[in-house]
Amino acid sequence: MTGSMFLQHFTNALSVASLYALLAIGYTMVYGILRLINFAHGEIFMMGMYFAYFGIAMFHLPWFVSFIIAIIITALLGVAAERLAYRPLRDAPRISILISAIAVSYFLQNFATVLFGGRPLMFQQIPLLTTIMQLGPIRVPRLTLIVPAVTILLLVGLQFLLKKTKTGMAMRAVSRDYDAARLMGIDLNFTIAMTFFIGSALAGVGAILWGLKYPQIKPDVGSMPGIKCFIAAVLGGIGNTTGAVLGGFVLGFAEIMFVAFFPAASGYRDAVAFILLILILLVLPAGLLGKNTTEKV
Amino acid sequence: MRKIIAVLLVAIMLVPAFALSEGTIKIGIFEPITGSYAGGGAMEVEGYELAKEHYPEVLGLPIEFIVADSKSDKVEASNAAASLVSQGVVAVLGSYSSGLCLSGADVFAAAGIPTITPTGTNPTVTESGWYARICFIDPQQGPALAGFAIGQGYKKVGVIQEIESEYATGLVKFFKEKIDATEGIEISSTGNFFNADQDFTTLLTEAISKEPDAIFASVGAPATAGLIVKQARELGYDGPIFGGDTLDGPELYQIAGEAAAGVVFSTFCDADQPLNDITARMVSDYRAKYNKKPAAPTMMSYDAYLTLLDAITRAGTATDSTAIRDAIFATSGFVGAAGEITLNETHDAVRPVVFVRKLADGSETFLASVDPE
């Protein structure tokens, strides 16, 4: 493999990995606070894509206005899912809320099919973001560099929010112990709603970047990224935001570099993700950065 | 009490089944309405519906469509087929995607329901004994594509294929057989991807590094081809890209935009090359309804409906499925919108492979028509 080809693969991997990381944060945040694998996360991501698309196509908003509104609506959708499908089950056994999450996922997918139809729609191309640049021997769309920058920026912002603000402190407290946090005067419902708001907003950002990169929107567009990013979150240590980003990067690079170095085995690319998951569960059950606890979902 | 309610519920469920079967001929539409192949399913449904508007009756009875969504999934396709059987359809039209046809084939054969696919080109589709097709098969299309590559003087062809699709891998197999048997042309690389994939940059970077004279994209749906073409151009590849009949659909241009210019694909027919009065009527009414030129799969599904009606008329019955099946299999010299249909002993149509090239404005220009060998 030549140096320039490796660089090309590297930039390809960088943007895919950043998208995985962005989505994995949402999984990990919800898990951290509710001990719930939010299987509807991929579908919330998918709805985010439709919101951004319709903002431009139907309401003729400028793209940045449409994107901001889409991110907010996506975040509110996440909050609504929590309010309607998870909160009533908060004191029920864990398995009930997990099944409820799967139900929300199916509901959203079928809802989108009825509302928007099964035929793929084409996400708008924003020349400012998608123009191709020639960097020495390699060619990269601007987006390839924008995606990791946005991911890192949001991760830093999130860390600040979690470590330095009252809301963040409340979130960390709730993730440690519900009852003790409540005794300390923390508004449990508000804190959990905020978690969903932030996690889903990140899914919204991820959805827009994804749509710009792969401009095809259909009701099942969230299922594969959903599974991959769940794996990324587990890889990094579910419940740990930095771990989720790390997991996203490990998974994205592993997939792309596997195909890059063993092109004949390209049909096994998805198997790599799952083998990685099995290996990590065997060797480091808590993930790369996770704390070792004996919690069972 | 509970028993009475149960009986009543069952009775309610049976009522519509009887009510609808009075005086109509039920035809099942077996297509992917959602999922990866939804675009293909939509093109074919448009064709069936237009055909039904033009010819709403057969043997003096109105035709009723019963649509089952195979969700572009092989397991769901069997379920959809079973649901059509249980609703008492006399014949079935569909499906886009050979893999989905195959999932339904055994169900329809077991129930004894004749089925016609407009565009399922994999040779194994019609082996069940109840399936017919009005399109060519891949042992014809693959070598025709290879013939195109040889004729263009390509020395090295990079192949990327959708590995989950019987159609895509079968087409590559028949393509490769002819390439391997020809001096001076070789396949420089083969990359595999999955139905749900959206990122092809790694496969393309690999394929482009072998400096091919052309890339052969064997995909399951036009939207996938759109993503491949777009990403190939973004990676700086400006050589030719070509593929089979699944590149024919509006999504290729919608996704790839001007990057799709120059893409060549083989297909069943070209609406710009009107063949007869039926073509003219079909194309102009389709334009009036959808404001665009019909894609080949739409014209083929229009013809599949016509072929079925012709068979029912010749059989003289709308209930005897064996007679309808035999009449379909005996179709000879039937003229539809996309050309003449004659089925051979394997229940496949023998017809030319048409090559077209995409232009920068999204329209297509006719290149050649390759007659069967």
Side-chain angles (χ1 to χ4, degrees):
Chain A
M1 183 176 300
T2 61
S4 66
M5 225 180 120
F6 179 78
L7 263 181
Q8 187 77 57
H9 281 305
F10 184 85
T11 49
N12 294 345
L14 191 65
S15 63
V16 174
S18 312
L19 284 169
Y20 284 169
L22 217 48
L23 267 178
I25 296 176
Y27 273 106
T28 229
M29 282 181 73
V30 169
Y31 183 84
I33 208 152
L34 280 185
R35 297 289 178 274
L36 162 73
I37 310 291
N38 183 12
F39 279 109
H41 200 61
E43 275 58 46
I44 287 175
F45 161 86
M46 172 271 292
M47 293 299 277
M49 254 162 121
Y50 276 107
F51 293 146
Y53 169 84
F54 282 111
I56 301 177
M58 246 167 104
F59 300 104
H60 305 290
L61 300 170
W63 60 269
F64 50 93
V65 180
S66 167
F67 287 178
I68 291 168
I69 294 177
I71 292 166
I72 295 171
I73 300 179
T74 311
L76 292 176
L77 181 69
V79 174
E82 191 274 330
R83 180 70 192 81
L84 297 172
Y86 306 151
R87 193 184 293 179
L89 293 169
R90 203 176 287 159
D91 298 321
R94 287 268 153 70
I95 194 80
S96 313
I97 190 164
L98 189 74
I99 291 166
S100 184
I102 294 171
V104 171
S105 147
Y106 274 93
F107 169 78
L108 285 177
Q109 219 179 90
N110 287 291
F111 182 69
T113 306
V114 173
L115 212 59
F116 312 125
R119 203 166 182 176
L121 297 173
M122 308 310 140
F123 204 86
Q124 295 85 354
Q125 293 293 292
I126 315 295
L128 181 68
L129 305 177
T130 49
T131 310
I132 318 269
M133 302 181 298
Q134 182 84 37
L135 295 179
I138 57 164
R139 286 167 61 90
V140 284
R142 274 190 199 150
L143 200 62
T144 304
L145 303 179
I146 295 174
V147 176
V150 170
T151 304
I152 301 297
L153 210 71
L154 288 173
L155 179 69
V156 171
L158 185 67
Q159 291 304 334
F160 174 81
L161 185 109
L162 287 176
K163 300 268 160 65
K164 305 281 178 200
T165 65
K166 274 237 164 99
T167 318
M169 200 188 288
M171 281 178 187
R172 284 184 294 137
V174 171
S175 79
R176 286 274 177 80
D177 191 327
Y178 270 18
D179 296 321
R182 205 169 349 194
L183 288 173
M184 295 299 122
I186 289 172
D187 183 345
L188 199 60
N189 287 339
F190 175 79
T191 309
I192 292 175
M194 268 315 280
T195 310
F196 273 86
F197 187 88
I198 295 166
S200 305
L202 293 178
V205 176
I208 289 165
L209 295 172
W210 192 285
L212 288 168
K213 194 164 160 57
Y214 312 114
Q216 180 194 16
I217 327 170
K218 46 187 185 171
D220 62 351
V221 78
S223 24
M224 207 53 195
I227 294 173
K228 290 275 175 68
C229 297
F230 164 61
I231 295 177
V234 175
L235 268 184
I238 193 146
N240 182 318
T241 45
T242 320
V245 174
L246 182 68
F249 274 86
V250 169
L251 182 66
F253 273 90
E255 271 189 6
I256 298 250
M257 290 304 166
F258 173 77
V259 180
F261 283 98
F262 309 101
S266 47
Y268 296 96
R269 197 205 54 204
D270 284 355
V272 170
F274 293 104
I275 290 171
L276 217 61
L277 176 68
I278 294 170
L279 281 182
I280 222 73
L281 288 176
L282 286 175
V283 182
L284 279 173
L288 296 173
L289 298 183
K291 278 189 248 67
N292 229 333
T293 53
T294 48
E295 197 87 43
K296 286 248 162 56
V297 188
Chain B
M1 188 60 200
R2 206 176 273 174
K3 258 185 195 161
I4 297 171
I5 292 174
V7 169
L8 278 175
L9 282 174
V10 170
I12 290 167
M13 281 162 67
L14 289 175
V15 165
F18 286 121
L20 288 175
S21 62
E22 283 296 315
T24 65
I25 296 179
K26 288 202 266 184
I27 293 177
I29 302 295
F30 174 57
E31 291 287 352
I33 310 294
T34 56
S36 314
Y37 303 143
M43 285 192 282
E44 298 197 346
V45 170
E46 285 170 3
Y48 301 135
E49 283 177 347
L50 186 63
K52 188 168 160 249
E53 278 176 30
H54 285 173
Y55 308 92
E57 289 187 348
V58 65
L59 303 177
L61 293 170
I63 284 175
E64 184 199 349
F65 278 166
I66 296 184
V67 182
D69 178 10
S70 59
K71 300 182 183 166
S72 309
D73 180 279
K74 286 168 192 164
V75 178
E76 292 288 350
S78 296
N79 295 340
S83 102
L84 286 175
V85 170
S86 71
Q87 292 179 74
V89 296
V90 293
V92 171
L93 297 172
S95 161
Y96 192 82
S97 159
S98 298
L100 299 176
C101 289
L102 284 165
S103 296
D106 290 342
V107 180
F108 296 132
I113 292 175
T115 312
I116 305 177
T117 171
T119 59
T121 51
N122 188 283
T124 54
V125 169
T126 50
E127 282 172 3
S128 72
W130 285 85
Y131 234 118
R133 90 180 96 216
I134 59 160
C135 54
F136 49 67
I137 55 176
D138 291 334
Q140 185 191 341
Q141 184 177 204
L145 281 162
F148 164 79
I150 295 162
Q152 294 288 313
Y154 303 148
K155 301 276 178 287
K156 289 194 287 183
V157 178
V159 173
I160 55 173
Q161 59 174 349
E162 186 170 315
I163 197 164
E164 279 170 298
S165 157
E166 280 85 354
Y167 158 80
T169 51
L171 187 60
V172 168
K173 182 178 145 240
F174 299 116
F175 174 81
K176 190 171 181 297
E177 278 170 8
K178 176 144 181 187
I179 295 288
D180 288 349
T182 309
E183 285 289 317
I185 183 166
E186 56 166 2
I187 290 175
S188 52
S189 66
T190 306
N192 301 315
F193 61 90
F194 296 94
N195 171 329
D197 280 359
Q198 309 217 27
D199 189 279
F200 305 96
T201 50
T202 322
L203 289 180
L204 288 166
T205 304
E206 174 62 29
I208 295 165
S209 74
K210 298 284 192 295
E211 295 175 349
D213 298 309
I215 289 178
F216 172 28
S218 192
V219 301
T224 313
L227 287 171
I228 290 174
V229 170
K230 179 175 183 286
Q231 290 171 19
R233 299 296 184 227
E234 283 175 359
L235 289 168
Y237 175 76
D238 49 14
I241 300 176
F242 66 97
D245 59 281
T246 43
L247 267 60
D248 198 339
E251 287 86 356
L252 170 64
Y253 184 75
Q254 283 169 1
I255 292 186
E258 282 177 19
V263 172
V264 171
F265 56 86
S266 53
T267 188
F268 309 102
C269 58
D270 179 10
D272 288 340
Q273 307 281 311
L275 300 156
N276 51 45
D277 296 346
I278 305 173
T279 322
R281 182 181 180 204
M282 190 270 166
V283 173
S284 74
D285 284 5
Y286 182 88
R287 270 191 199 282
K289 201 168 166 186
Y290 299 100
N291 196 25
K292 61 182 178 192
K293 167 187 161 183
T298 308
M299 298 177 70
M300 293 300 282
S301 60
Y302 183 91
D303 280 6
Y305 178 89
L306 263 55
T307 308
L308 177 60
L309 254 56
D310 173 62
I312 293 176
T313 313
R314 278 186 287 117
T317 167
T319 46
D320 181 351
S321 47
T322 313
I324 295 173
R325 178 193 67 170
D326 294 341
I328 294 171
F329 287 174
T331 299
S332 177
F334 178 76
V335 178
E340 196 177 296
I341 298 163
T342 299
L343 298 191
N344 61 14
E345 65 281 2
T346 51
H347 325 310
D348 307 317
V350 180
R351 56 193 300 156
V353 179
V354 172
F355 282 85
V356 295
R357 171 179 281 128
K358 261 286 181 241
L359 301 178
D361 64 354
S363 66
E364 287 125 23
T365 167
F366 176 83
L367 285 185
S369 174
V370 180
D371 285 326
E373 283 170 21

